[in-house]
């Protein structure tokens, strides 16, 4: 493209600084809003995934087939050591923990409530889930104290118990269905800020859990965490290939939480939709301003056409003017958007006790900056600004010299 | 003498039927190379329309326009734009210049469109700006120039590209009489030195007296065509 066109376009947008300033503000506001929206959506997705995987689920789990369909304790992993050996050999796996699960009742002297009684390996569990972090009173579990039990604060309120109080669990053994009762001492109170975990689950040591379930050395679940820098999908694929027997079911968190996975995949379009709406509005504003600019320059365009300027040059001139406005808007919008995203990445936005797809978003959502916000989005803005000016550019290029020159000065 | 402009029964009409108005009505004329011709007449006589038809800025309703033997009335689009760029220099009544370009850049503009070499452009424009008395003002923008200086830059631009014809539509209309006379005298000097054909419109009697040929229009028709000393 001729340098004269670019030179003219750049100088033309500086002619009416107020109008150009307003158009740049429009574009930059749109881009900043889009960057913020994407940062917030990404932050929310990240929070939801972390909530799910950090709190309890892990990135993947192993179960006996049919366990997840029925949650019947009779479906348990009989030889967990062979499975953990495979996990130990996988570089992408950071840690794992084994769990037992029994459905039953938990009773105090004041009340009784149904509960899932979870047996955990205290040391490993602390590195897989947030069980230890959730402790608000008392002591965490240890293998040395098999009679200790941790309960959520809502369960404690329901049972009217405090630290040191005794509670009885009642469940049935998997073989034979005999009722199994065990006495525990409340050693710690938990607060996950999750309704299910705080009210309906109680935690004991793995050995105690295996005992009340009557499953010997077996476990019901192995929860797995990957290294933070591991490629999640690659690790999942490798482990899937290793756990191919019919005696074990290996599932990633997306398969464990299919509703969440659906929400997240839909969420990825949200930025696209918001961007589409925002920039339709921005484009309309640009088109309007550019038309005004051209109407004011009818005579000048007539002179240029009269001198032999090709219509294509006038068309390009107007599009380049739009592109320059887009460029300035993109730079300013990126700075503003980046500053807001950075600030909110530190402070976060609190949505109170919001719940989405069964996940409590009860901590501030912190925005996350991504490369595409500062590379892809600004490039699109510049291109879009240029394209938005096509209609006014066509109008300008189609002027006849005599009509344009006849315009009263 | 070589015919450089020829019109054959040229007509430009607006409207139809009872409301038709003929701004130019059956004008046939020949202008030869090197002539310094003024088209005169009262307001609304068709001077501007005739010049625009000759310059290819407007389409005739009927008739022909030939410039240097080329029938521009049959041209359109890019071919016509390129012909204007290469063969016709325009000086408009007012607001001739592109506001965001300097005097030098305005004078170079047509040569830029012609994609002439930068050195050649600069040298030629520098020389012509000196001739029109604008040395030292090359880097000023139109807002920093007087009306007379504007028109001098327009003359420089028209001359710089080396056209066959220069068409000037009331170039002195917005100038005081002294400045206007100076401008026309300058154009006349260029005409005599370079033998370039000048055709300009005016209704100023002081300016008319400087033309070598006067073509008078009234209601779109030529009512007189005289050569004067």
């Amino acid at each position: 493209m001729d340098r004269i066109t670019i030179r003219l376009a750049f100088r033309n947008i500086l002619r009416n600084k107020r109008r150009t300033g307003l158009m740049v503000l429009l574009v930059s506001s749109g881009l900043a809003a889009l960057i913020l929206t994407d940062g917030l959506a990404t932050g929310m997705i990240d929070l939801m995934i972390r909530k799910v995987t950090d709190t309890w689920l892990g990135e993947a789990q192993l179960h006996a087939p049919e366990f997840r369909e029925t949650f019947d304790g009779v479906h348990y992993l009989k030889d967990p050591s062979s499975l953990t050996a495979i996990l130990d050999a996988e570089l992408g796996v950071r840690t794992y923990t084994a769990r037992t699960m029994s459905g039953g009742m938990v009773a105090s002297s004041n009340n009784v409530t149904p509960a899932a009684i979870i047996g955990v390996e205290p040391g490993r569990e602390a590195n897989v889930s947030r069980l230890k972090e959730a402790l608000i009173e008392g002591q965490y579990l240890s293998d040395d104290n098999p009679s200790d039990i941790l309960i959520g604060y809502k369960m404690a309120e329901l049972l009217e118990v405090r630290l040191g109080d005794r509670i009885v669990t009642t469940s049935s053994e998997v073989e034979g269905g005999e009722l199994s009762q065990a006495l525990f001492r409340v050693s710690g109170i938990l607060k996950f800020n999750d309704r299910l975990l705080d009210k309906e689950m109680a935690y004991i040591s793995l050995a105690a859990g295996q005992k009340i379930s009557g499953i010997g050395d077996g476990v019901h679940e192995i929860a797995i965490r990957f290294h933070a820098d591991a490629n999640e999908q690659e690790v999942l694929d490798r482990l899937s290939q290793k756990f191919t027997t019919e005696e074990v079911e290996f599932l990633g968190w997306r398969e464990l939480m299919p509703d969440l996975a659906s929400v997240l995949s839909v969420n990825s379009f949200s930025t696209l939709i918001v961007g589409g709406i925002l920039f339709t509005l921005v484009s309309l504003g640009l088109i309007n301003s550019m038309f005004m600019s051209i109407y004011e320059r009818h005579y000048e365009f007539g002179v240029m056409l009269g001198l032999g300027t090709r219509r294509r040059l006038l068309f390009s001139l107007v599009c380049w003017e739009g592109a320059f406005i887009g460029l300035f808007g993109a730079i300013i919008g990126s700075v503003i958007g980046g500053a807001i995203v950075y600030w909110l990445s530190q402070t976060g936005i609190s949505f109170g006790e919001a719940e989405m797809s069964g996940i409590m978003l009860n901590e501030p959502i912190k925005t996350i900056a991504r490369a595409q916000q500062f590379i892809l989005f600004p490039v699109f803005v510049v291109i879009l600004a240029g394209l938005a000016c096509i209609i006014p550019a066509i109008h300008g290029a189609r002027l006849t010299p005599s009509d344009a020159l006849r315009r009263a000065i | 003498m070589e015919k450089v402009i020829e019109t054959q029964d040229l007509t430009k009409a607006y409207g139809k039927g009872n409301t038709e108005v003929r701004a130019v009505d059956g004008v046939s004329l020949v202008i030869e190379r090197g002539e310094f011709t003024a088209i005169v007449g009262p307001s609304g006589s068709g001077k501007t329309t005739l010049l625009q038809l000759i310059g290819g800025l407007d389409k005739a309703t009927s008739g022909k326009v030939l410039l240097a033997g080329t029938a521009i009335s049959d041209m359109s689009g890019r071919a016509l734009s390129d012909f204007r760029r290469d063969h016709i220099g325009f000086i408009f009544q007012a607001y001739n210049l592109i506001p965001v370009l300097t005097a030098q850049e305005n004078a170079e503009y047509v040569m830029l469109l012609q994609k002439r070499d930068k050195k050649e452009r600069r040298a030629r424009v520098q020389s012509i700006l000196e001739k029109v008395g604008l040395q030292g003002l090359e880097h000023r923008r139109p807002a920093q120039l007087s009306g007379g200086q504007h028109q001098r830059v327009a003359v420089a631009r028209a001359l710089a590209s080396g056209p066959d014809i220069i068409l000037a539509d009331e170039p002195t209309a917005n100038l005081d009489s002294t400045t206007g006379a100076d401008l026309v005298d300058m154009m006349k000097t260029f005409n005599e030195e370079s033998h370039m054909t000048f055709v300009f419109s005016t209704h100023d009697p002081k300016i008319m007296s400087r033309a070598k040929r006067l073509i008078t229009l009234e209601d779109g028709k030529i009512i007189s065509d005289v050569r004067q000393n």
Side-chain angles (χ1 to χ4, degrees), chain A residues 7 11 299 305 309-310 409, chain B residues 82 84 94-95 100 105 109:
Chain A
R7 193 191 320 172
R11 293 185 193 181
Y299 188 88
L305 287 167
T309 306
R310 288 182 182 173
I409 301 161
Chain B
D82 291 352
R84 278 202 299 273
Y95 300 98
V100 296
E105 289 167 338
Y109 182 73

Side-chain angles (χ1 to χ4, degrees), chain B residues 2-7 30-33 54 65-72 75 83 86-88 163-165 197:
Chain B
E2 182 193 350
K3 288 185 209 175
V4 71
I5 298 173
E6 183 181 354
T7 70
V30 171
I31 298 175
E32 290 165 350
R33 187 171 293 281
I54 291 171
V65 177
L66 293 101
L67 297 183
T70 305
I72 69 158
M75 283 181 167
F83 189 90
D86 296 335
H87 297 280
I88 307 173
D164 296 310
I165 307 147
T197 307

Side-chain angles (χ1 to χ4, degrees), chain B residues 56-223:
Chain B
L57 298 180
D58 202 355
K59 274 280 185 205
T61 308
S62 62
K64 265 190 151 113
V65 177
L66 293 101
L67 297 183
T70 305
I72 69 158
S73 44
D74 297 335
M75 283 181 167
S76 61
R78 184 187 286 192
L80 185 55
S81 289
D82 291 352
F83 189 90
R84 278 202 299 273
R85 178 193 68 197
D86 296 335
H87 297 280
I88 307 173
F90 279 99
I91 303 168
F92 300 96
Q93 181 178 334
Y95 300 98
N96 264 286
L97 307 181
I98 298 169
V100 296
L101 297 180
T102 63
Q104 179 173 295
E105 289 167 338
N106 266 290
E108 281 183 342
Y109 182 73
V110 179
M111 287 200 288
L112 273 167
L113 296 178
Q114 293 171 331
K115 296 190 183 346
R116 300 248 203 124
D117 175 68
K118 184 176 178 179
K119 265 190 182 171
E120 179 199 345
R121 279 196 331 254
R122 288 286 154 98
R124 189 164 167 77
V125 161
Q126 195 64 34
S127 161
I128 290 175
L129 284 175
E130 279 180 30
K131 285 185 184 173
V132 300
L134 289 176
Q135 65 270 35
L137 302 179
E138 298 91 343
H139 300 296
R140 290 198 184 179
R141 290 213 183 168
Q144 299 166 306
L145 300 172
S146 67
Q149 288 167 337
H150 268 230
Q151 295 301 73
R152 286 171 185 266
V153 175
V155 169
R157 180 180 65 200
L159 290 168
S161 58
D164 296 310
I165 307 147
I166 291 185
L167 302 176
D169 183 16
E170 303 211 36
T172 63
N174 290 335
L175 304 176
D176 61 83
S177 55
T178 309
T179 309
D182 288 345
L183 185 78
V184 175
D185 287 339
M186 185 180 66
M187 286 160 58
K188 196 169 180 185
T189 306
F190 279 118
N191 164 254
E192 288 165 357
E193 284 178 2
S194 63
H195 218 57
M196 193 172 285
T197 307
F198 276 77
V199 180
F200 60 95
S201 66
T202 184
H203 56 261
D204 185 341
K206 285 188 195 162
I207 307 302
M208 287 180 211
S209 62
R210 284 162 166 78
K212 292 176 185 170
R213 180 179 173 187
L214 284 177
I215 297 173
T216 307
L217 288 186
E218 190 174 292
D219 294 330
K221 294 182 197 295
I222 295 177
I223 58 169

Side-chain angles (χ1 to χ4, degrees), chain A residues 66-91:
Chain A
E66 295 181 45
F67 175 74
R68 287 188 65 249
E69 288 158 20
T70 61
F71 284 99
D72 188 342
V74 72
H75 304 293
Y76 65 96
L77 298 167
K78 295 177 174 62
D79 183 17
S81 58
S82 66
L83 303 173
T84 56
I86 294 172
L87 294 175
D88 286 333
E90 169 53 53
L91 291 174

Side-chain angles (χ1 to χ4, degrees), chain A residues 210-222:
Chain A
Q210 288 167 325
K211 187 178 176 185
I212 65 172
S213 300
I215 58 174
D217 292 332
V219 299
H220 290 108
E221 177 176 285
I222 299 175

